[in-house]
Amino acid sequence: MPLDFTAIDFETANNHAASACSVGLVKVRDGKVVDTAGWLIRPPFGYDDFSEWNTRIHGIVASDVADAALWSDQLPDLLAFADGDDLVAHNAGFDMGVIKAACTASLLDIPSFRYACTLQLARKTYTLDSYRLPVAAMAAGFEDFTHHDAIADAEACAAIMIHAAKRHEASDLDQLAEVSGIRINSIGSVAEAVAASA
């Protein structure tokens, strides 16, 4: 099995996980980036206030997303890009929490994904003073990117996964998880099936 996955990163309008306001996606095939995509998202109603703190981090304001598609309208595009891939994110619990919360707030079923976390992977792969995305990405040879730009962050995340797989001599995500000691988790019906069999 080759190293195939989709790296993902969300920015949020406020401190609620449902308030996704942008997404970045990077498709990796056989350890190489083959496609990128990203777009602004109008958060679900009731979760669409932009906090000054979040705007200071990513620079996105309410007027930027006024004409963007709602989460409920653009989720099919996200699913089409991922196309059944395992997802990879830095501090993946946050990004998977965004998917779950935004779907719940939009009265949508939570899609099924397996996912891995490059924050956990970086801690098992590098010896660093910090494992924040810019520092971990630098260890992977991916430098000078615009942190908190969703596409750039997803690219950095993909770079960590690819570099770590080479360091661990792993040919795919499952082997990388096994040799590095990280877990592959899941959301949606996949997670429910795992929980039911436990």
Side-chain angles (χ1 to χ4, degrees):
M1 291 268 303
L3 185 66
D4 295 348
F5 61 86
T6 292
I8 190 167
D9 181 80
F10 289 105
E11 300 299 327
T12 56
N14 53 62
N15 64 2
H16 196 286
S19 68
C21 61
S22 75
V23 63
L25 298 155
V26 174
K27 184 170 286 293
V28 171
R29 285 290 173 270
D30 200 18
K32 294 181 176 58
V33 173
V34 297
D35 198 9
T36 62
W39 52 83
L40 294 170
I41 302 165
R42 193 151 42 104
F45 297 118
Y47 302 91
D48 49 356
D49 288 336
F50 277 75
S51 76
E52 182 183 344
W53 173 258
N54 288 54
T55 293
R56 197 180 304 147
I57 290 171
H58 52 56
I60 302 168
V61 296
S63 59
D64 293 329
V65 304
D67 295 325
L70 283 165
W71 173 268
S72 55
D73 295 325
Q74 61 77 34
L75 179 62
D77 295 329
L78 189 159
L79 297 176
F81 186 95
D83 194 24
D85 279 356
D86 294 334
L87 299 182
V88 166
H90 203 72
N91 190 20
F94 167 81
D95 297 278
M96 299 309 113
V98 168
I99 293 173
K100 291 190 284 189
C103 285
T104 299
S106 303
L107 305 178
L108 299 172
D109 290 337
I110 297 166
S112 293
F113 285 109
R114 296 190 335 144
Y115 68 90
C117 179
T118 53
L119 175 59
Q120 294 176 3
L121 181 61
R123 287 179 172 145
K124 300 283 190 176
T125 305
Y126 313 115
T127 303
L128 305 170
D129 293 332
S130 164
Y131 293 91
R132 291 178 59 248
L133 183 58
V135 181
M138 190 177 295
F142 190 86
E143 303 179 36
D144 298 328
F145 68 99
T146 306
H147 189 27
H148 295 300
D149 172 272
I151 295 175
D153 282 359
E155 289 173 330
C157 177
I160 294 167
M161 184 62 68
I162 292 166
H163 185 261
K166 290 176 182 169
R167 291 246 328 224
H168 290 286
E169 298 182 347
S171 60
D172 63 33
L173 207 56
D174 287 295
Q175 186 182 16
L176 178 56
E178 186 177 340
V179 298
S180 66
I182 67 167
R183 289 183 58 189
I184 294 181
N185 294 302
S186 53
I187 61 171
S189 59
V190 177
E192 292 167 12
V194 170
S197 66

